[in-house]
Amino acid sequence: MSFTPRLPKPDFPDFRYLLPPRDLLNKIKHHPSNVKKGSREKATRQLFYTPIDEFERERLNILKSNLQSHRIQIPADFPDEEMLKFLYATRFDVARCVRMLRLHFEWMGDPELHRLTGTTMRLVEDGVIYQHGRDFELRPVLVIDLEKVTRRPESAEEVNQALSFVLNLIKYHMFVAGFIESAIILINAASKSPNDIPLEFISQVIRHCLAHYPCFMYRLFIVNPSRGLYIACLLYTSPSPRDS
């Protein structure tokens, strides 16, 4: 089954055709280490809509108690599995998780932050940020084309709205609980040198994803890098955290 939408949605048409056929889903066989690896604070997860262990349940109960003491109302349709993603994103730091969830719930409840404008949709329609197919294990692919970024003066809010539109499309119409819960992010570097890379745009995308879509990314790929960017990537060997 697919996720139940839990955010103020734009006027989506019927996107049920984006769900993979059941026979393909049944061919996905997750090794236990691909569901969860490690234990307690050092664990990583790729699937959250699966049974949770005693430590995770304990931390969830502590988090809920802290939210209540801070008078932060948990939305009725915000499930434990989504809350668990925020715990993983903060390495089970409950105090930090409370701060993140406070901002996230405020973001969820503000319709203006999800309103689509003509400028916002042009970012999607012109191919700056868009969804493009799936990988061999049916994970959706999000594409960010840096070649089309630097010519655009969009505000951070407009970038966030366009990004949310595509991320919500993936999360609510392409993910399948217990089977597909993360996506591939592909960045077209367009042969730009490190000095020409729009770092502020990339930083804005990363900040928005970390704040409101934790544990969304499975892998990040950079295509068409310049020689300088390729060498810089080789020197930076630290992998992206799974909770990104």
Side-chain angles (χ1 to χ4, degrees):
M1 63 181 177
S2 62
F3 289 113
T4 301
R6 299 180 184 90
L7 292 175
K9 292 201 318 178
D11 293 327
F12 277 124
D14 188 350
F15 281 147
R16 282 178 294 181
Y17 70 91
L18 292 174
L19 288 173
R22 175 58 60 175
D23 60 331
L24 290 181
L25 287 176
N26 291 335
K27 293 180 181 179
I28 299 177
K29 304 298 181 184
H30 291 289
H31 189 275
S33 64
N34 287 336
V35 177
K36 180 182 176 183
K37 187 175 182 180
S39 62
R40 300 181 68 83
E41 292 90 346
K42 295 183 179 180
T44 59
R45 261 188 181 271
Q46 292 182 15
L47 296 175
F48 289 82
Y49 283 76
T50 59
I52 65 176
D53 63 25
E54 182 178 349
F55 173 76
E56 293 168 334
R57 175 58 62 189
E58 173 191 317
R59 291 293 171 164
L60 277 171
N61 290 336
I62 293 173
L63 175 58
K64 291 177 181 179
S65 177
N66 274 260
L67 289 171
Q68 184 176 13
S69 66
H70 285 80
R71 298 183 179 179
I72 300 174
Q73 182 66 40
I74 302 171
D77 54 357
F78 194 78
D80 287 353
E81 291 85 356
E82 293 298 311
M83 206 173 303
L84 187 61
K85 293 179 183 179
F86 283 85
L87 279 171
Y88 269 87
T90 58
R91 298 296 185 190
F92 293 93
D93 184 333
V94 172
R96 183 182 165 203
C97 193
V98 167
R99 294 193 294 270
M100 283 186 68
L101 284 171
R102 181 196 297 272
L103 295 174
H104 181 64
F105 293 156
E106 291 174 356
W107 173 79
M108 285 177 63
D110 189 342
E112 284 299 307
L113 296 178
H114 303 276
R115 183 172 60 87
L116 295 177
T117 65
T119 303
T120 299
M121 286 309 300
R122 279 197 296 274
L123 283 166
V124 178
E125 293 169 351
D126 291 352
V128 179
I129 303 170
Y130 62 97
Q131 190 280 324
H132 185 72
R134 295 176 181 268
D135 74 353
F136 73 102
E137 290 187 322
L138 303 182
R139 297 182 189 89
V141 179
L142 170 69
V143 179
I144 300 173
D145 191 347
L146 299 186
E147 184 175 18
K148 301 174 182 177
V149 170
T150 53
R151 302 193 298 266
R152 299 174 172 278
E154 284 80 8
S155 66
E157 291 76 14
E158 289 169 329
V159 171
N160 289 345
Q161 289 166 351
L163 184 61
S164 292
F165 176 85
V166 180
L167 293 177
N168 288 345
L169 172 70
I170 292 172
K171 182 175 181 178
Y172 298 134
H173 298 279
M174 301 185 75
F175 282 177
V176 181
F179 291 90
I180 306 163
E181 298 182 20
S182 58
I184 302 294
I185 297 181
L186 189 151
I187 297 177
N188 174 27
S191 300
K192 291 180 178 290
S193 70
N195 291 334
D196 293 330
I197 295 292
L199 294 179
E200 181 54 37
F201 178 88
I202 295 175
S203 296
Q204 181 62 36
V205 168
I206 292 173
R207 286 194 297 269
H208 188 66
C209 288
L210 290 177
H212 303 298
Y213 298 89
C215 304
F216 181 91
M217 183 180 74
Y218 177 73
R219 292 283 187 273
L220 170 68
F221 295 96
I222 300 176
V223 298
N224 300 321
S226 65
R227 181 179 294 274
L229 181 61
Y230 177 71
I231 293 173
C233 289
L234 288 179
L235 293 175
Y236 182 73
T237 56
S238 228
S240 298
R242 177 64 193 92
D243 52 40
S244 59

